[in-house]
Amino acid sequence: MNMTQTPTKSLFLRAFRIENTSLTEYDSGILKFLQTVLTPNSTASQRSMVLNAANPNIDLLANFSWSKNGSYMFGMMLRIIPADNGGVIDKDLFNKQTISMADVSTGNPDQSQYKDHFYFAINNDYLVTNLPGNLTIYRLQHYINWLLESERKDKLFQFTELTKLPKGVSLSQIKSIQLVGSNEPSLFNEKPTIFPVLRNLTNDVLGLLVGNDTCSLEQLHRNQLVEAQLLIKFKKPTKKVTDEDYNRAMSAVVTNVPIDQNIVIHTKDGNKYTGKAVRVKKFVTVDCIDANRIVEEQLKQEMELFLSEIKTQQNG
């Protein structure tokens, strides 16, 4: 007897630390703010953040659930666009408390439409997400700070990507960190990375060589004849650099540079590693209901496990 095989989907989970700037608090305390805002009376409409007044794209915490002991929250973020393409979202759905991916497939073409989505799980110390690797975490960070604005007062939450040493490499072997510039345009609503700054510096230097001819400079970039690079070296000998020093420097780099190939770690023995080797990630496989919908409870449990593993790793 032939049995239909359950379709699966592979996901990469990324890990971030929720920075705690308080000298008196044990952790970030972000969950208590989320619990205050995300009441049973909360509607999707109230959680819809318009990205730009002139372009009514919306980010929305469309669905969320809490662990039984309240130790973490699992959520799904939607990017919603005007109704000209994508999956349709009926306006009446915004009066509900939550919106599921099943809801996205029905509705009126004259209403809002689905563009993309991702999932995350968060506790007071860490956040894990399957946010695509070409996007910075600022997309979610900005939204969470907006959502909690009425409760957090002047406190801004910051998410910093977790890092590690490349496998088999000791801290004393690290020579430098190189950032290789990119000519790709910035993604809409993404916080500017360091590369626009490097591009401007490159233009300043080239301007001295070819003159301030904007067309010539743009042609050089367009034909990828030049690129900006930044080399970061530890000021003190690496044998005196602590793991905390390394992780602070590397986390600052990878949080702002989402493309792995734009980061190159040089070791003293001449080896090179990209950002892929230093990001804390986990590969998971989850079952699918159909081509576009996963079993969300399965992903939730995978993220819960990853949060637990991160806590053990970071405290070890």
Side-chain angles (χ1 to χ4, degrees), residues 233-249:
K233 292 186 176 182
F234 292 101
K235 188 174 181 180
K236 53 187 176 182
T238 50
K239 64 181 180 180
K240 294 183 180 180
V241 175
T242 66
D243 288 345
E244 183 179 359
D245 290 333
Y246 167 82
N247 284 323
R248 185 184 300 112

Side-chain angles (χ1 to χ4, degrees), residues 89-154:
I89 301 176
D90 187 88
K91 67 177 183 180
D92 291 337
L93 293 176
F94 289 93
N95 295 322
K96 297 176 58 178
Q97 184 185 24
T98 62
I99 299 174
S100 70
M101 285 306 297
D103 296 324
V104 169
S105 62
T106 61
N108 186 325
D110 293 329
Q111 306 302 329
S112 300
Q113 293 183 314
Y114 153 86
K115 180 181 180 183
D116 59 40
H117 74 286
F118 64 91
Y119 298 87
F120 69 95
I122 185 172
N123 60 26
N124 279 321
D125 299 304
Y126 304 105
L127 179 148
V128 298
T129 178
N130 72 322
L131 179 71
N134 64 332
L135 300 177
T136 70
I137 194 61
Y138 296 117
R139 175 169 170 176
L140 181 57
Q141 178 179 297
H142 291 160
Y143 178 84
I144 294 295
N145 279 313
W146 170 84
L147 182 68
L148 302 180
E149 189 172 13
S150 63
E151 300 296 328
R152 62 177 173 79
K153 297 180 180 179
D154 60 348

Side-chain angles (χ1 to χ4, degrees), residues 1 7 21 33 41 52 57 62 69 89 91 105 117 177-178 180 194-195 200 240 259 275 283 286-288 301:
M1 183 175 68
T21 58
F33 293 114
N41 296 324
N52 187 296
N57 290 8
N69 62 1
I89 301 176
K91 67 177 183 180
S105 62
H117 74 286
I177 304 168
Q178 182 183 14
V180 181
I194 194 171
F195 293 118
N200 289 338
K240 294 183 180 180
I259 307 300
F283 177 82
V286 295
D287 294 335
C288 294
Q301 293 181 26

Side-chain angles (χ1 to χ4, degrees), residues 125-299:
D125 299 304
Y126 304 105
L127 179 148
V128 298
T129 178
N130 72 322
L131 179 71
N134 64 332
L135 300 177
T136 70
I137 194 61
Y138 296 117
R139 175 169 170 176
L140 181 57
Q141 178 179 297
H142 291 160
Y143 178 84
I144 294 295
N145 279 313
W146 170 84
L147 182 68
L148 302 180
E149 189 172 13
S150 63
E151 300 296 328
R152 62 177 173 79
K153 297 180 180 179
D154 60 348
K155 182 175 185 178
L156 280 170
F157 291 101
Q158 295 184 337
F159 306 149
T160 306
E161 192 152 7
L162 293 177
T163 60
K164 61 183 179 180
L165 285 163
K167 187 175 181 180
V169 176
S170 66
L171 185 55
S172 61
Q173 292 177 284
I174 300 294
K175 180 181 179 182
S176 61
I177 304 168
Q178 182 183 14
L179 305 186
V180 181
S182 171
N183 289 319
E184 296 180 0
S186 300
L187 293 167
F188 179 73
N189 202 44
E190 288 291 303
K191 180 176 179 179
T193 66
I194 194 171
F195 293 118
V197 178
L198 292 180
R199 180 186 172 97
N200 289 338
L201 290 174
T202 304
N203 285 345
D204 290 342
V205 174
L206 290 175
L208 297 175
L209 300 176
V210 301
N212 293 319
D213 186 336
T214 302
C215 293
S216 297
L217 294 177
E218 287 302 321
Q219 186 175 6
L220 288 173
H221 285 295
R222 186 167 54 251
N223 294 332
Q224 297 185 341
L225 299 177
V226 296
E227 68 178 7
Q229 295 188 4
L230 175 65
L231 191 65
I232 302 172
K233 292 186 176 182
F234 292 101
K235 188 174 181 180
K236 53 187 176 182
T238 50
K239 64 181 180 180
K240 294 183 180 180
V241 175
T242 66
D243 288 345
E244 183 179 359
D245 290 333
Y246 167 82
N247 284 323
R248 185 184 300 112
M250 187 59 71
S251 291
V253 170
V254 301
T255 300
N256 287 280
V257 185
I259 307 300
D260 287 336
Q261 289 72 22
N262 290 148
I263 304 171
V264 182
I265 297 92
H266 297 265
T267 58
K268 294 176 181 177
D269 58 4
N271 288 322
K272 298 178 182 180
Y273 301 86
T274 68
K276 182 179 180 180
V278 299
R279 298 182 196 271
V280 174
K281 289 184 177 182
K282 184 177 183 179
F283 177 82
V284 299
T285 301
V286 295
D287 294 335
C288 294
I289 299 172
D290 56 35
N292 296 316
R293 289 191 289 161
I294 65 169
V295 178
E296 292 179 339
E297 178 61 30
Q298 189 177 355
L299 178 59

